[in-house]
Amino acid sequence: MPGLEDLYREIILDHYRNPRNRGELDAPPAHRVEGFNPLCGDEIIVYLDVDSDRIADIRIAGQGCSISQSSASMMSSAVKGRTTEEARAVTRAFKAMMSIHESSLDGEPDGLVGGADGSGGGDGDVKLGDLEALRGVVKFPVRIKCATLSWNTLAQGLDEATEPV
Amino acid sequence: MKLDVARIRKDFPILEQTVADRRLVYLDSASSSQKPRVVLDAMTDYYETTHANVHRGVYGLAVEATERYEGARDRVARFIGAPSSRGIVFTKNVTEAINLVAHAWGRTNLGPGDAVLLSEIEHHANLVPWLMLAEERGVELRYLPMADDYSLDLSDLDRLVDGVKLVAVTAMSNVLGTLTPVRRLADAAHAAGALCLVDGAQYVPHLPTDVTELGCDFLGFTAHKLCGPTGIGVLWAREELLEAMPPFLGGGEMIRDVRLDGFTPNEIPWRFEAGTMPIAEAIGLGAALDYLDGLGMEAVREHEVSLTGYALRHLTERFGDELTIHGPAEPSARGGVLSLALRDVHPHDVSQVLDQDGVCVRAGHHCAKPLMRRLGVGATARASLYVYNDTDDVDALADSLGSASDFFAL
Ligand SMILES: Cc1ncc(COP(=O)(O)O)c(C=O)c1O
């Protein structure tokens, strides 16, 4: 049986205790997107300020377990200041890391997991950095949803923010 | 008579398992209980010796299968003190039992301007069917609030019950353990000219149940929480109510006659049992009730009051302000359901640490989101007790909570 240290790496606990980019942005002009994990009641709210294709600012609100909160915190650091295309590439790479079990768990129809096969193009070069610490989550299949909640919410936010008007 | 837990544990094959060389500590019976061997054997024996479809053949096996299935119905009637088996309808679970009432009784008797009184502490199973009805035909829903001591606040009952057609409440909260004053609510409903439905999912498995004493008109419960199999539940209703209700699902078995231009429904209770029913499961439920009556429901209740008291004392002494237990402080006012909040450690993380020690609790909103909002939490870690639990299980829970507290120390 995998041990707790496989799941709760030090860097994860650090992001949980000291979440980055916590707070809210005025929406509008920012985009506000909510994500729910109906299984456990975790809720996440992502605020995105997208300025000509770049994520100028991002804030995270809501509540959840250490895995969902730390994943959201790391996500916000990873995509802040990046272009929406870059943010999508990181999202695909992260979801690929998590998708090993997720697709077989419930076949989530969000179309993002598709990027896992490399069809996103060049995602193999994406450096996940600190996010690698979340790799241990796949050994705890019920917690994968916690780790991907903020990313699914971000993906939805990016789609809304970049929709042609 | 006291329960002999060491002996009882031997009746449950799953409890022989060990996790990390320690005995499995199963504290999630409020979600679903484990099954004693006699229940499993009853179902296997039925399949090996007696299976045929019921009510459909004149050959020996079919007759015997029908007798066993109908025998289970009689068994259920005896267990809940129902005047006759004609009031016992088999369903898939209590959720279906409540939906049956909302559909067959609700759609006949409720329309715009009619009101139903529920409570704030209900399981989604006793909320969503009524919310659907409210959306569909403008039925007004009212709610009895929860008081700060986790009981139902009845101070405004007279006003709330005035003009309603149905009072539908749980007899025991699956989150707080709170026992609700069913008799008083049923009497208030009747005085107001309304009926009373009781969600007995958490009550019937743990306390002696007598529908006449409860005074309600409908009672639903589910077999898998009382040592029985999944896939079968019960709706009991006063016979004259069932008589007046149209069918719920349509198909075979629920009809007396079918023509190309119409049908005549069957008598009660079969009118509400469309299609081939979970026969083996009904027989398993009968065996579960035999098992519980063998232990004695008074003894089951006594055991749980005493073990809950031990848990409340022990956990409070050990963790003090670090641990919040959302529920009544007095064991006699509640069942053995302990919704725990350990400081600000998220329930998911708590239950993850507990899982490492083989301690099974449920983390989440327990299908009671409005109650979670009222408590101001997103989730709790819930430990729940049953006949096979003892003080060793509570001690293991406490030790494991201690580890979780250390692990997530800031
Ligand atoms: C109070 C209460 N009502 C209803 C239910 C639903 O039971 P089932 O899923 O068997 O229909 C439960 C259990 O989950 C419960 O605790």
Side-chain angles (χ1 to χ4, degrees):
Chain A
M1 185 159 75
L4 287 179
E5 58 288 349
D6 290 315
L7 183 63
Y8 298 114
R9 310 280 298 279
E10 198 42 55
I11 189 154
I12 293 178
L13 293 175
D14 175 57
H15 275 268
Y16 175 49
R17 286 167 191 148
N18 310 296
R20 327 289 200 262
N21 302 304
R22 182 103 193 140
E24 300 178 5
L25 295 173
D26 282 338
H31 289 268
R32 179 184 187 280
V33 203
E34 289 181 12
F36 291 95
N37 183 344
L39 201 71
C40 58
D42 282 5
E43 297 177 11
I44 206 139
I45 303 158
V46 175
Y47 294 89
L48 279 178
D49 178 359
V50 177
D51 184 15
S52 60
D53 241 33
R54 192 167 286 279
I55 300 176
D57 207 354
I58 180 168
R59 287 285 189 282
I60 309 289
Q63 43 100 15
C65 67
S66 60
I67 301 301
S68 75
Q69 294 297 292
S70 63
S71 183
S73 168
M74 291 186 198
M75 185 261 302
S76 69
S77 310
V79 304
K80 190 169 169 176
R82 309 282 281 271
T83 66
T84 54
E85 241 353 277
E86 287 166 340
R88 285 197 170 96
V90 186
T91 304
R92 279 193 295 269
F94 182 78
K95 297 229 15 169
M97 184 168 85
M98 290 293 137
S99 70
I100 303 162
H101 293 94
E102 193 182 39
S103 50
S104 62
L105 282 181
D106 60 7
E108 189 182 352
D110 63 5
L112 273 170
V113 178
D117 59 7
S119 60
D123 291 349
D125 302 336
V126 174
K127 293 278 182 296
L128 285 171
D130 284 1
L131 289 164
E132 288 282 351
L134 285 161
R135 189 179 286 282
V137 173
V138 294
K139 293 184 194 156
F140 297 82
V142 289
R143 304 301 291 276
I144 292 176
K145 286 249 153 213
C146 309
T148 53
L149 176 63
S150 56
W151 295 85
N152 290 333
T153 312
L154 170 71
Q156 193 192 330
L158 286 174
D159 286 349
E160 287 177 20
T162 55
E163 234 167 47
V165 256
Chain B
M1 215 186 55
K2 268 181 74 106
L3 292 191
D4 181 352
V5 176
R7 223 204 60 226
I8 289 173
R9 291 183 65 84
K10 295 206 175 73
D11 297 335
F12 291 77
I14 209 168
L15 297 179
E16 288 160 18
Q17 274 180 39
T18 54
V19 178
D21 289 333
R22 275 179 283 188
R23 88 178 202 190
L24 179 72
V25 178
Y26 188 76
L27 294 172
D28 197 19
S29 299
S31 187
S32 197
S33 79
Q34 297 301 346
K35 323 300 170 200
R37 192 172 280 108
V38 285
V39 167
L40 309 175
D41 287 350
M43 294 171 70
T44 306
D45 176 69
Y46 163 76
Y47 277 128
E48 286 181 353
T49 66
T50 319
H51 176 68
N53 213 334
V54 298
H55 302 134
R56 300 204 186 156
V58 291
Y59 52 93
L61 268 187
V63 172
E64 207 185 314
T66 305
E67 272 169 15
R68 287 231 222 165
Y69 179 69
E70 293 303 324
R73 194 188 308 277
D74 299 341
R75 188 68 195 78
V76 170
R78 261 189 294 143
F79 193 76
I80 59 170
S84 107
S85 310
R86 279 170 35 91
I88 306 291
V89 178
F90 285 126
T91 61
K92 186 165 65 176
N93 46 38
V94 65
T95 301
E96 188 181 87
I98 297 170
N99 274 277
L100 195 166
V101 176
H103 202 96
W105 180 85
R107 280 170 179 76
T108 312
N109 292 286
L110 300 175
D114 289 326
V116 173
L117 177 59
L118 307 164
S119 90
E120 212 174 34
I121 68 171
E122 299 305 313
H123 186 282
H124 295 168
N126 194 32
L127 287 173
V128 182
W130 307 113
L131 286 164
M132 286 165 74
L133 209 58
E135 214 167 79
E136 187 185 300
R137 41 179 69 198
V139 174
E140 178 200 349
L141 302 184
R142 302 178 189 171
Y143 296 94
L144 282 164
M146 183 190 84
D148 288 337
D149 65 356
Y150 304 99
S151 67
L152 284 185
D153 178 354
L154 301 187
S155 55
D156 214 10
L157 176 62
D158 291 347
R159 190 184 60 82
L160 284 168
V161 83
D162 185 42
V164 304
K165 284 206 165 166
L166 179 73
V167 176
V169 285
T170 184
M172 187 203 288
S173 161
N174 64 313
V175 175
L176 311 166
T178 305
L179 291 166
T180 62
V182 171
R183 181 69 209 214
R184 184 155 168 217
L185 292 170
D187 289 347
H190 294 149
L195 296 178
C196 177
L197 174 145
V198 170
D199 173 355
Q202 297 294 339
Y203 184 94
V204 178
H206 301 279
L207 289 95
T209 303
D210 184 309
V211 289
T212 320
E213 278 175 29
L214 287 175
C216 57
D217 304 286
F218 300 101
L219 172 74
F221 61 98
T222 216
H224 68 93
K225 293 185 203 281
L226 45 69
C227 297
T230 56
I232 186 124
V234 171
L235 170 69
W236 169 81
R238 283 201 354 253
E239 285 163 48
E240 56 277 28
L241 293 171
L242 286 183
E243 291 282 13
M245 278 157 59
F248 172 39
L249 302 173
E253 196 64 27
M254 49 70 65
I255 40 79
R256 153 128 350 118
D257 186 26
V258 180
R259 300 164 308 277
L260 289 181
D261 62 352
F263 70 95
T264 316
N266 203 342
E267 290 170 43
I268 64 162
W270 303 285
R271 181 188 303 167
F272 302 100
E273 296 180 0
T276 299
M277 294 295 287
I279 306 164
E281 285 74 9
I283 289 162
L285 165 58
L289 300 182
D290 284 341
Y291 181 78
L292 286 176
D293 269 342
L295 301 179
M297 289 307 292
E298 298 281 356
V300 168
R301 173 63 182 153
E302 236 168 74
H303 168 71
E304 288 179 20
V305 170
S306 125
L307 192 54
T308 304
Y310 176 84
L312 292 172
R313 268 195 320 278
H314 197 69
L315 292 172
T316 311
E317 268 166 28
R318 176 148 171 190
F319 294 99
D321 292 345
E322 287 222 303
L323 190 74
T324 307
I325 303 174
H326 296 285
E330 175 53 48
S332 63
R334 53 149 45 246
V337 176
L338 305 166
S339 262
L340 309 170
L342 182 64
R343 292 198 316 265
D344 57 350
V345 185
H346 193 277
H348 258 190
D349 295 315
V350 171
S351 64
Q352 191 82 57
V353 177
L354 267 51
D355 176 54
Q356 295 286 312
D357 297 335
V359 177
C360 310
V361 301
R362 166 131 180 234
H365 53 62
H366 317 297
C367 300
K369 285 198 89 171
L371 174 56
M372 291 287 132
R373 288 199 189 94
R374 167 70 174 80
L375 296 173
V377 298
T380 69
R382 181 187 69 182
S384 50
L385 309 168
Y386 207 16
V387 293
Y388 34 68
N389 294 118
D390 59 16
T391 52
D392 286 352
D393 292 324
V394 174
D395 294 345
L397 169 69
D399 287 344
S400 210
L401 283 170
S403 313
S405 175
D406 294 345
F407 190 85
F408 287 100
L410 287 183

